[in-house]
Amino acid sequence: MNTQVLSSQHKRLNTPDLSYVPLSKLYYLEDIQRDEYKSQTGTFEDVIMEDGFMDVIKVFPKDKNGYKIAEATHRVRALNNIFHNDGDPDVPIAVLHWKDGEDEEEVKMTIMRFNNTGKVWTLYDYVKAHAGTKYFSGDVSRLWREIFENMKRLKDKMSNAVVLSIYTGERSGQSVVKEEEKAREFRLSSYERKVVDVMIARLDHNIGIWQKKYVPVLFLRSYVTHLRKVAKSLNDIDKFSKYFQHTLIHVGAKVGDKNTPTTLPIDETSFVDWLKRINSDYKY
């Protein structure tokens, strides 16, 4: 392989080394790559079978296991499906020779940057990547793994955005999960830990009773971020738990059922009006 660069009088850019290797020599890191989207893999299979393989697989320099994939994991999955039990064809690769494939942080950030130029990463994708990151400190890694496990465990009761908001207190943007430096330092204080535990347990239980389909996602996102703000202002777990219970009673009265649609607010103005009503008869 010949290493080349794109250069001019003022610029010098690395370019990958191009080559062919057996398909079996390509592998990916399950922990930090996003989950497979079966429909996307299937689409690639159809296109490849009809038009041929019109691409290259971006990989890190060769290591003891072969070539670690930086981009095009779904294409490789499609190729593996096509050639399952039918040989080991050579496939075109572009080796990112200037990248350190042994540096976990560089590998993770390269994968995230590459994949964000195609299908946008979801909150679930980001959390999965952070949960699989080994260079975060122990307490931070454990927290991200906890969030990831709760996203999977609670998927039939609340959205990933709602689960994440319980931990971060952010309703939108979620900079904690999308910005690496913030993700690396994300921790809960001892008080926040108590608040999160109470919210997860009570919402898990109550939404299970109410059934998720009767509790609008847009309401839940506003509701959990409001609860986090109240918890912060009260700075007392007993007072917060008491207020939380008060709101749960009002939510339960509005969830609706199969025959009666929910009357919980889903827009910001209606939510503020609802809060005024339920807070009017509450004494801290």
Side-chain angles (χ1 to χ4, degrees), residues 231-278:
K232 183 177 181 180
S233 65
L234 292 175
N235 197 32
D236 183 299
I237 193 61
D238 291 331
K239 290 181 179 180
F240 170 70
S241 297
K242 180 183 176 184
Y243 176 77
F244 190 13
Q245 173 62 21
H246 171 74
T247 65
L248 285 171
I249 293 171
H250 284 271
V251 174
K254 298 286 187 179
V255 292
D257 55 34
K258 292 180 181 179
N259 301 312
T260 306
T262 179
T263 54
L264 289 169
I266 58 175
D267 64 88
E268 186 174 353
T269 300
S270 298
F271 183 77
V272 171
D273 290 340
W274 177 77
L275 280 180
K276 288 179 181 178
R277 289 195 300 273
I278 71 169

Side-chain angles (χ1 to χ4, degrees), residues 26 44 48-49 55 70 74 76 83 94 125 200 215 220 223 248 253:
L26 304 179
F44 277 126
I48 291 169
M49 289 297 293
D55 209 340
H74 277 83
V76 172
F83 290 99
D125 295 329
I200 289 288
V215 186
L220 279 176
Y223 181 51
L248 285 171

Side-chain angles (χ1 to χ4, degrees), residues 191-202:
Y191 174 63
E192 289 172 328
R193 173 79 272 172
K194 294 175 183 177
V195 170
V196 167
D197 287 347
V198 168
M199 289 181 66
I200 289 288
R202 297 301 306 278

Side-chain angles (χ1 to χ4, degrees), residues 114-131:
F114 258 136
N115 285 278
N116 259 323
T117 61
K119 181 178 174 61
V120 176
W121 273 41
T122 64
L123 295 177
Y124 180 90
D125 295 329
Y126 279 109
V127 171
K128 181 188 177 187
H130 296 326

